[in-house]
Amino acid sequence: MQEDGSAAAGMILRNHEGSVIFAAYRCIFNCNDALEAELHAIMQGMALALQHSSLPIVVQSDSSTALATMTGDSLSRSAYGHLVLEIKRHLQDRDFVPSKIKREQNRVAHRLALYNRTESTTAVWLGRSPPCIEELVPLDCNPMIME
């Protein structure tokens, strides 16, 4: 919201069969723009994934600019450098594979973020999804083949 600088991030981690490992949303205060919100979502999602899975993680986002921070030096010297640095630190702990998806393939994370706009809080569900996204979870699974 440009009026007050508030934003929200939604994250979901699934196993190789599509079952939910965790779903989460987080309120972001003093957010400058959509890119900053995407970087927060990637950073927080990676941090939670490190705690709840020992497998390589595919990071899916509809922001190619945010995903580029995982493989290059883009934005390292920008106002978002602290977020990029944190993302890079997570990359040292596990294999993370960036994957660009379309906005319509990212409905669960988007719905979580939208729902958070009414709650203005941070919440995590382990092993299940919250009621606000239950109908989307089976429809919004983007299978990946890891080689």
Side-chain angles (χ1 to χ4, degrees):
M1 300 291 285
Q2 288 184 342
E3 301 84 40
D4 62 4
S6 66
M11 299 141 277
I12 187 164
L13 178 67
R14 301 170 189 255
N15 66 16
H16 65 284
E17 296 174 336
S19 298
V20 175
I21 296 172
F22 74 75
Y25 55 64
R26 177 174 182 252
C27 188
I28 304 168
F29 301 98
N30 302 315
C31 185
N32 292 309
D33 54 28
L35 176 59
E36 184 177 6
E38 289 287 342
L39 290 169
H40 273 285
I42 289 172
M43 180 195 62
Q44 292 293 319
M46 291 172 78
L48 284 168
L50 285 169
Q51 294 175 10
H52 297 286
S53 176
S54 59
L55 299 172
I57 307 291
V58 176
V59 178
Q60 295 180 331
S61 174
D62 55 25
S63 171
S64 53
T65 304
L67 286 171
T69 65
M70 296 176 67
T71 57
D73 289 330
S74 65
L75 301 178
S76 292
R77 297 180 149 272
S78 72
Y80 309 125
H82 63 291
L83 296 171
V84 173
L85 181 61
E86 193 67 29
I87 288 169
K88 298 272 188 194
R89 284 189 184 136
H90 292 323
L91 288 170
Q92 296 171 357
D93 297 327
R94 183 82 44 78
D95 287 333
F96 287 92
V97 179
S99 175
K100 169 74 169 80
I101 59 174
K102 296 177 183 174
R103 177 84 168 180
E104 56 271 10
Q105 293 174 293
N106 205 14
R107 293 175 295 181
V108 168
H110 183 66
R111 173 82 61 87
L112 283 165
L114 284 175
Y115 186 74
N116 180 264
R117 307 279 305 151
T118 63
E119 297 292 311
S120 297
T121 188
T122 297
V124 178
W125 290 264
L126 298 176
R128 64 182 183 90
S129 60
C132 66
I133 61 166
E134 281 179 343
E135 79 282 359
L136 281 180
V137 170
L139 305 174
D140 201 26
C141 189
N142 302 303
M144 299 292 301
I145 298 173
M146 300 290 290
E147 295 179 14

mmCIF file of all heavy atoms in Angstrom, residues 13 21-22 42-59 86-96:
data_model
loop_
_atom_site.group_PDB
_atom_site.id
_atom_site.type_symbol
_atom_site.label_atom_id
_atom_site.label_comp_id
_atom_site.label_asym_id
_atom_site.label_seq_id
_atom_site.Cartn_x
_atom_site.Cartn_y
_atom_site.Cartn_z
ATOM 1 N N LEU A 13 5.728 -24.161 1.382
ATOM 2 C CA LEU A 13 6.719 -25.186 1.056
ATOM 3 C C LEU A 13 5.984 -26.507 0.957
ATOM 4 O O LEU A 13 5.198 -26.858 1.846
ATOM 5 C CB LEU A 13 7.813 -25.271 2.129
ATOM 6 C CG LEU A 13 8.886 -26.344 1.903
ATOM 7 C CD1 LEU A 13 9.742 -26.013 0.677
ATOM 8 C CD2 LEU A 13 9.773 -26.485 3.128
ATOM 9 N N ILE A 21 4.313 -28.675 3.618
ATOM 10 C CA ILE A 21 5.219 -28.783 4.757
ATOM 11 C C ILE A 21 4.964 -27.601 5.680
ATOM 12 O O ILE A 21 4.864 -27.743 6.883
ATOM 13 C CB ILE A 21 6.690 -28.835 4.297
ATOM 14 C CG1 ILE A 21 6.924 -30.111 3.472
ATOM 15 C CG2 ILE A 21 7.637 -28.759 5.485
ATOM 16 C CD1 ILE A 21 8.274 -30.188 2.797
ATOM 17 N N PHE A 22 4.865 -26.411 5.099
ATOM 18 C CA PHE A 22 4.437 -25.237 5.861
ATOM 19 C C PHE A 22 3.793 -24.235 4.918
ATOM 20 O O PHE A 22 4.048 -24.228 3.721
ATOM 21 C CB PHE A 22 5.569 -24.588 6.667
ATOM 22 C CG PHE A 22 6.564 -23.794 5.836
ATOM 23 C CD1 PHE A 22 6.248 -22.541 5.316
ATOM 24 C CD2 PHE A 22 7.818 -24.293 5.596
ATOM 25 C CE1 PHE A 22 7.150 -21.824 4.558
ATOM 26 C CE2 PHE A 22 8.739 -23.585 4.833
ATOM 27 C CZ PHE A 22 8.403 -22.350 4.321
ATOM 28 N N ILE A 42 11.028 -14.212 -0.480
ATOM 29 C CA ILE A 42 12.061 -15.194 -0.806
ATOM 30 C C ILE A 42 12.957 -15.449 0.401
ATOM 31 O O ILE A 42 13.236 -16.596 0.757
ATOM 32 C CB ILE A 42 12.875 -14.739 -2.039
ATOM 33 C CG1 ILE A 42 12.011 -14.847 -3.306
ATOM 34 C CG2 ILE A 42 14.164 -15.546 -2.184
ATOM 35 C CD1 ILE A 42 12.638 -14.252 -4.550
ATOM 36 N N MET A 43 13.401 -14.383 1.045
ATOM 37 C CA MET A 43 14.295 -14.520 2.200
ATOM 38 C C MET A 43 13.622 -15.292 3.330
ATOM 39 O O MET A 43 14.188 -16.240 3.887
ATOM 40 C CB MET A 43 14.734 -13.147 2.695
ATOM 41 C CG MET A 43 15.661 -13.222 3.904
ATOM 42 S SD MET A 43 15.849 -11.650 4.754
ATOM 43 C CE MET A 43 14.201 -11.299 5.279
ATOM 44 N N GLN A 44 12.392 -14.916 3.673
ATOM 45 C CA GLN A 44 11.685 -15.586 4.765
ATOM 46 C C GLN A 44 11.348 -17.028 4.408
ATOM 47 O O GLN A 44 11.453 -17.921 5.239
ATOM 48 C CB GLN A 44 10.409 -14.823 5.111
ATOM 49 C CG GLN A 44 10.653 -13.478 5.742
ATOM 50 C CD GLN A 44 11.288 -13.605 7.120
ATOM 51 O OE1 GLN A 44 10.924 -14.460 7.913
ATOM 52 N NE2 GLN A 44 12.264 -12.767 7.387
ATOM 53 N N GLY A 45 10.945 -17.249 3.169
ATOM 54 C CA GLY A 45 10.641 -18.604 2.725
ATOM 55 C C GLY A 45 11.868 -19.499 2.782
ATOM 56 O O GLY A 45 11.792 -20.660 3.196
ATOM 57 N N MET A 46 13.019 -18.960 2.372
ATOM 58 C CA MET A 46 14.258 -19.735 2.436
ATOM 59 C C MET A 46 14.628 -20.060 3.880
ATOM 60 O O MET A 46 15.030 -21.191 4.186
ATOM 61 C CB MET A 46 15.397 -18.964 1.753
ATOM 62 C CG MET A 46 15.240 -18.857 0.247
ATOM 63 S SD MET A 46 16.455 -17.762 -0.532
ATOM 64 C CE MET A 46 17.905 -18.818 -0.555
ATOM 65 N N ALA A 47 14.482 -19.086 4.767
ATOM 66 C CA ALA A 47 14.812 -19.313 6.179
ATOM 67 C C ALA A 47 13.929 -20.404 6.783
ATOM 68 O O ALA A 47 14.412 -21.297 7.491
ATOM 69 C CB ALA A 47 14.671 -18.006 6.966
ATOM 70 N N LEU A 48 12.636 -20.361 6.495
ATOM 71 C CA LEU A 48 11.724 -21.390 7.001
ATOM 72 C C LEU A 48 12.016 -22.748 6.366
ATOM 73 O O LEU A 48 11.972 -23.785 7.040
ATOM 74 C CB LEU A 48 10.271 -20.992 6.738
ATOM 75 C CG LEU A 48 9.697 -19.921 7.655
ATOM 76 C CD1 LEU A 48 8.374 -19.403 7.102
ATOM 77 C CD2 LEU A 48 9.517 -20.456 9.057
ATOM 78 N N ALA A 49 12.329 -22.765 5.075
ATOM 79 C CA ALA A 49 12.636 -24.020 4.389
ATOM 80 C C ALA A 49 13.867 -24.687 4.994
ATOM 81 O O ALA A 49 13.911 -25.912 5.146
ATOM 82 C CB ALA A 49 12.836 -23.772 2.898
ATOM 83 N N LEU A 50 14.862 -23.898 5.363
ATOM 84 C CA LEU A 50 16.061 -24.449 6.000
ATOM 85 C C LEU A 50 15.723 -25.148 7.314
ATOM 86 O O LEU A 50 16.349 -26.147 7.673
ATOM 87 C CB LEU A 50 17.097 -23.342 6.251
ATOM 88 C CG LEU A 50 17.855 -22.858 5.027
ATOM 89 C CD1 LEU A 50 18.641 -21.603 5.343
ATOM 90 C CD2 LEU A 50 18.769 -23.952 4.490
ATOM 91 N N GLN A 51 14.736 -24.649 8.025
ATOM 92 C CA GLN A 51 14.338 -25.227 9.308
ATOM 93 C C GLN A 51 13.464 -26.464 9.159
ATOM 94 O O GLN A 51 13.446 -27.313 10.039
ATOM 95 C CB GLN A 51 13.585 -24.193 10.145
ATOM 96 C CG GLN A 51 14.420 -23.034 10.578
ATOM 97 C CD GLN A 51 13.589 -21.989 11.294
ATOM 98 O OE1 GLN A 51 12.430 -22.212 11.627
ATOM 99 N NE2 GLN A 51 14.182 -20.826 11.513
ATOM 100 N N HIS A 52 12.743 -26.574 8.057
ATOM 101 C CA HIS A 52 11.721 -27.615 7.950
ATOM 102 C C HIS A 52 11.951 -28.647 6.852
ATOM 103 O O HIS A 52 11.078 -29.487 6.619
ATOM 104 C CB HIS A 52 10.345 -26.965 7.770
ATOM 105 C CG HIS A 52 9.952 -26.148 8.955
ATOM 106 N ND1 HIS A 52 9.555 -26.704 10.151
ATOM 107 C CD2 HIS A 52 9.954 -24.810 9.144
ATOM 108 C CE1 HIS A 52 9.305 -25.744 11.002
ATOM 109 N NE2 HIS A 52 9.537 -24.584 10.431
ATOM 110 N N SER A 53 13.093 -28.591 6.187
ATOM 111 C CA SER A 53 13.401 -29.578 5.162
ATOM 112 C C SER A 53 14.911 -29.712 5.023
ATOM 113 O O SER A 53 15.642 -28.730 5.175
ATOM 114 C CB SER A 53 12.801 -29.168 3.814
ATOM 115 O OG SER A 53 13.180 -30.082 2.811
ATOM 116 N N SER A 54 15.361 -30.913 4.731
ATOM 117 C CA SER A 54 16.794 -31.139 4.507
ATOM 118 C C SER A 54 17.098 -31.363 3.024
ATOM 119 O O SER A 54 18.223 -31.647 2.655
ATOM 120 C CB SER A 54 17.259 -32.349 5.313
ATOM 121 O OG SER A 54 16.527 -33.495 4.931
ATOM 122 N N LEU A 55 16.091 -31.241 2.189
ATOM 123 C CA LEU A 55 16.231 -31.477 0.752
ATOM 124 C C LEU A 55 16.550 -30.186 -0.004
ATOM 125 O O LEU A 55 16.339 -29.087 0.520
ATOM 126 C CB LEU A 55 14.931 -32.073 0.212
ATOM 127 C CG LEU A 55 14.518 -33.406 0.820
ATOM 128 C CD1 LEU A 55 13.127 -33.791 0.347
ATOM 129 C CD2 LEU A 55 15.527 -34.486 0.483
ATOM 130 N N PRO A 56 17.021 -30.299 -1.245
ATOM 131 C CA PRO A 56 17.165 -29.091 -2.076
ATOM 132 C C PRO A 56 15.804 -28.421 -2.238
ATOM 133 O O PRO A 56 14.766 -29.092 -2.260
ATOM 134 C CB PRO A 56 17.661 -29.637 -3.418
ATOM 135 C CG PRO A 56 18.248 -30.970 -3.101
ATOM 136 C CD PRO A 56 17.458 -31.499 -1.941
ATOM 137 N N ILE A 57 15.807 -27.123 -2.360
ATOM 138 C CA ILE A 57 14.570 -26.347 -2.398
ATOM 139 C C ILE A 57 14.467 -25.591 -3.716
ATOM 140 O O ILE A 57 15.401 -24.919 -4.134
ATOM 141 C CB ILE A 57 14.532 -25.313 -1.244
ATOM 142 C CG1 ILE A 57 14.780 -25.961 0.106
ATOM 143 C CG2 ILE A 57 13.236 -24.514 -1.262
ATOM 144 C CD1 ILE A 57 13.690 -26.868 0.591
ATOM 145 N N VAL A 58 13.307 -25.694 -4.367
ATOM 146 C CA VAL A 58 13.012 -24.899 -5.551
ATOM 147 C C VAL A 58 12.291 -23.642 -5.076
ATOM 148 O O VAL A 58 11.258 -23.731 -4.419
ATOM 149 C CB VAL A 58 12.132 -25.675 -6.560
ATOM 150 C CG1 VAL A 58 11.751 -24.782 -7.734
ATOM 151 C CG2 VAL A 58 12.859 -26.923 -7.036
ATOM 152 N N VAL A 59 12.862 -22.484 -5.380
ATOM 153 C CA VAL A 59 12.258 -21.206 -5.012
ATOM 154 C C VAL A 59 11.511 -20.683 -6.228
ATOM 155 O O VAL A 59 12.123 -20.313 -7.225
ATOM 156 C CB VAL A 59 13.322 -20.185 -4.561
ATOM 157 C CG1 VAL A 59 12.678 -18.849 -4.239
ATOM 158 C CG2 VAL A 59 14.106 -20.712 -3.371
ATOM 159 N N GLU A 86 21.217 -11.469 2.885
ATOM 160 C CA GLU A 86 20.584 -12.539 3.659
ATOM 161 C C GLU A 86 20.200 -13.714 2.760
ATOM 162 O O GLU A 86 20.387 -14.883 3.125
ATOM 163 C CB GLU A 86 19.351 -12.002 4.385
ATOM 164 C CG GLU A 86 18.795 -12.916 5.437
ATOM 165 C CD GLU A 86 19.718 -13.096 6.636
ATOM 166 O OE1 GLU A 86 20.493 -12.183 6.945
ATOM 167 O OE2 GLU A 86 19.667 -14.180 7.245
ATOM 168 N N ILE A 87 19.682 -13.436 1.585
ATOM 169 C CA ILE A 87 19.355 -14.493 0.620
ATOM 170 C C ILE A 87 20.628 -15.263 0.249
ATOM 171 O O ILE A 87 20.646 -16.492 0.229
ATOM 172 C CB ILE A 87 18.666 -13.899 -0.631
ATOM 173 C CG1 ILE A 87 17.241 -13.444 -0.272
ATOM 174 C CG2 ILE A 87 18.649 -14.900 -1.784
ATOM 175 C CD1 ILE A 87 16.561 -12.601 -1.334
ATOM 176 N N LYS A 88 21.716 -14.536 -0.014
ATOM 177 C CA LYS A 88 22.993 -15.180 -0.356
ATOM 178 C C LYS A 88 23.502 -16.043 0.797
ATOM 179 O O LYS A 88 24.066 -17.114 0.562
ATOM 180 C CB LYS A 88 24.040 -14.120 -0.716
ATOM 181 C CG LYS A 88 23.692 -13.278 -1.903
ATOM 182 C CD LYS A 88 24.160 -13.908 -3.165
ATOM 183 C CE LYS A 88 23.964 -12.924 -4.311
ATOM 184 N NZ LYS A 88 24.074 -13.546 -5.582
ATOM 185 N N ARG A 89 23.308 -15.613 2.024
ATOM 186 C CA ARG A 89 23.726 -16.427 3.186
ATOM 187 C C ARG A 89 22.948 -17.739 3.233
ATOM 188 O O ARG A 89 23.506 -18.781 3.540
ATOM 189 C CB ARG A 89 23.531 -15.651 4.472
ATOM 190 C CG ARG A 89 24.573 -14.599 4.686
ATOM 191 C CD ARG A 89 24.485 -13.992 6.071
ATOM 192 N NE ARG A 89 25.455 -12.925 6.192
ATOM 193 C CZ ARG A 89 25.212 -11.758 6.734
ATOM 194 N NH1 ARG A 89 24.010 -11.493 7.228
ATOM 195 N NH2 ARG A 89 26.149 -10.846 6.806
ATOM 196 N N HIS A 90 21.665 -17.679 2.935
ATOM 197 C CA HIS A 90 20.864 -18.907 2.915
ATOM 198 C C HIS A 90 21.346 -19.863 1.823
ATOM 199 O O HIS A 90 21.307 -21.080 1.994
ATOM 200 C CB HIS A 90 19.384 -18.598 2.712
ATOM 201 C CG HIS A 90 18.744 -17.888 3.862
ATOM 202 N ND1 HIS A 90 19.051 -18.134 5.178
ATOM 203 C CD2 HIS A 90 17.798 -16.930 3.888
ATOM 204 C CE1 HIS A 90 18.338 -17.362 5.960
ATOM 205 N NE2 HIS A 90 17.558 -16.609 5.202
ATOM 206 N N LEU A 91 21.813 -19.311 0.709
ATOM 207 C CA LEU A 91 22.296 -20.141 -0.398
ATOM 208 C C LEU A 91 23.519 -20.971 -0.002
ATOM 209 O O LEU A 91 23.782 -22.021 -0.589
ATOM 210 C CB LEU A 91 22.647 -19.267 -1.604
ATOM 211 C CG LEU A 91 21.482 -18.647 -2.361
ATOM 212 C CD1 LEU A 91 21.979 -17.626 -3.374
ATOM 213 C CD2 LEU A 91 20.660 -19.716 -3.046
ATOM 214 N N GLN A 92 24.244 -20.530 1.005
ATOM 215 C CA GLN A 92 25.426 -21.268 1.473
ATOM 216 C C GLN A 92 25.041 -22.517 2.256
ATOM 217 O O GLN A 92 25.832 -23.449 2.354
ATOM 218 C CB GLN A 92 26.299 -20.366 2.350
ATOM 219 C CG GLN A 92 26.869 -19.184 1.611
ATOM 220 C CD GLN A 92 27.533 -18.189 2.539
ATOM 221 O OE1 GLN A 92 27.530 -18.329 3.759
ATOM 222 N NE2 GLN A 92 28.112 -17.153 1.956
ATOM 223 N N ASP A 93 23.841 -22.542 2.807
ATOM 224 C CA ASP A 93 23.418 -23.629 3.681
ATOM 225 C C ASP A 93 22.714 -24.775 2.963
ATOM 226 O O ASP A 93 22.588 -25.866 3.522
ATOM 227 C CB ASP A 93 22.492 -23.084 4.782
ATOM 228 C CG ASP A 93 23.207 -22.087 5.678
ATOM 229 O OD1 ASP A 93 24.419 -22.244 5.892
ATOM 230 O OD2 ASP A 93 22.539 -21.157 6.158
ATOM 231 N N ARG A 94 22.248 -24.554 1.760
ATOM 232 C CA ARG A 94 21.458 -25.576 1.066
ATOM 233 C C ARG A 94 21.421 -25.268 -0.417
ATOM 234 O O ARG A 94 21.660 -24.142 -0.829
ATOM 235 C CB ARG A 94 20.027 -25.545 1.608
ATOM 236 C CG ARG A 94 19.069 -26.565 1.062
ATOM 237 C CD ARG A 94 19.150 -27.927 1.706
ATOM 238 N NE ARG A 94 19.249 -27.870 3.129
ATOM 239 C CZ ARG A 94 18.242 -27.645 3.988
ATOM 240 N NH1 ARG A 94 17.024 -27.483 3.544
ATOM 241 N NH2 ARG A 94 18.455 -27.596 5.275
ATOM 242 N N ASP A 95 21.065 -26.262 -1.196
ATOM 243 C CA ASP A 95 20.845 -26.040 -2.628
ATOM 244 C C ASP A 95 19.460 -25.444 -2.827
ATOM 245 O O ASP A 95 18.456 -26.051 -2.462
ATOM 246 C CB ASP A 95 20.941 -27.357 -3.401
ATOM 247 C CG ASP A 95 22.364 -27.853 -3.519
ATOM 248 O OD1 ASP A 95 23.286 -27.029 -3.486
ATOM 249 O OD2 ASP A 95 22.538 -29.072 -3.651
ATOM 250 N N PHE A 96 19.429 -24.237 -3.358
ATOM 251 C CA PHE A 96 18.183 -23.568 -3.716
ATOM 252 C C PHE A 96 18.206 -23.347 -5.222
ATOM 253 O O PHE A 96 19.185 -22.858 -5.760
ATOM 254 C CB PHE A 96 18.044 -22.220 -3.005
ATOM 255 C CG PHE A 96 17.729 -22.311 -1.552
ATOM 256 C CD1 PHE A 96 18.740 -22.322 -0.604
ATOM 257 C CD2 PHE A 96 16.411 -22.388 -1.117
ATOM 258 C CE1 PHE A 96 18.452 -22.396 0.747
ATOM 259 C CE2 PHE A 96 16.111 -22.464 0.240
ATOM 260 C CZ PHE A 96 17.139 -22.469 1.167
#
